[in-house]
Amino acid sequence: MAVNGLNEQGSDKNLQTREDTRSSEKYIKPAVNIVETDEGLILTADVPGAAKESLAVSVEKGILTINAQVSHDMPGQPVYTEFQLASYYRQFSIPETLDQQRARADLANGILTLQIPKAEAAKPRKIEVKVG
């Protein structure tokens, strides 16, 4: 999947297996929206139930990783359940035209917003035309 310069690592499955993440735990692939502006990319990810303290966003060797551990502890005995609590995990490759050092991440109401500015050399610029 190539979206505005970000390429997703892995497949289109919503639940990743041990083979995908090399972990014994199952993960949910959070839904994301990616928007490109003149200044950079804005990625929003749906991570309900993830706390700021358990959320890890990192970039290493051009790979953006979003990982959030969600607590599975519930008081009492489940009588009926329609959804499964699981942690979140998703990766994207990031092009060199983005300035990874200036990336910012915010979490509010279960939505992670990640802003990755374009490198100065990659930003569009207007070239002034002189009359000679």
Side-chain angles (χ1 to χ4, degrees):
M1 180 172 117
V3 179
N4 297 327
L6 292 181
N7 294 316
E8 182 178 16
Q9 301 292 306
S11 66
D12 290 333
K13 296 180 285 184
N14 284 334
L15 195 62
Q16 294 180 316
T17 64
R18 180 179 180 174
E19 290 75 27
D20 295 334
T21 63
R22 300 192 187 272
S23 170
S24 61
E25 186 176 356
K26 294 225 176 206
Y27 290 88
I28 294 173
K29 187 167 80 174
V32 299
N33 289 332
I34 301 170
V35 176
E36 182 176 12
T37 67
D38 286 343
E39 299 301 315
L41 291 180
I42 301 171
L43 180 148
T44 53
D46 188 26
V47 289
K52 179 182 175 187
E53 298 78 28
S54 68
L55 185 61
V57 180
S58 63
V59 177
E60 183 176 341
K61 297 181 181 177
I63 303 294
L64 168 68
T65 302
I66 300 170
N67 188 2
Q69 302 297 314
V70 175
S71 174
H72 300 109
D73 298 333
M74 294 179 59
Q77 291 290 334
V79 177
Y80 180 78
T81 58
E82 289 190 346
F83 65 93
Q84 181 181 11
L85 292 175
S87 298
Y88 299 99
Y89 184 85
R90 197 154 183 191
Q91 289 186 315
F92 297 91
S93 62
I94 296 181
E96 293 178 7
T97 56
L98 296 177
D99 188 351
Q100 304 165 14
Q101 301 299 320
R102 293 184 19 222
R104 287 189 30 216
D106 296 302
L107 178 68
N109 301 321
I111 303 292
L112 170 68
T113 302
L114 181 63
Q115 298 178 347
I116 309 170
K118 289 181 180 175
E120 290 300 321
K123 286 184 180 178
R125 64 183 183 109
K126 186 174 182 176
I127 300 172
E128 183 179 341
V129 177
K130 295 182 179 178
V131 177

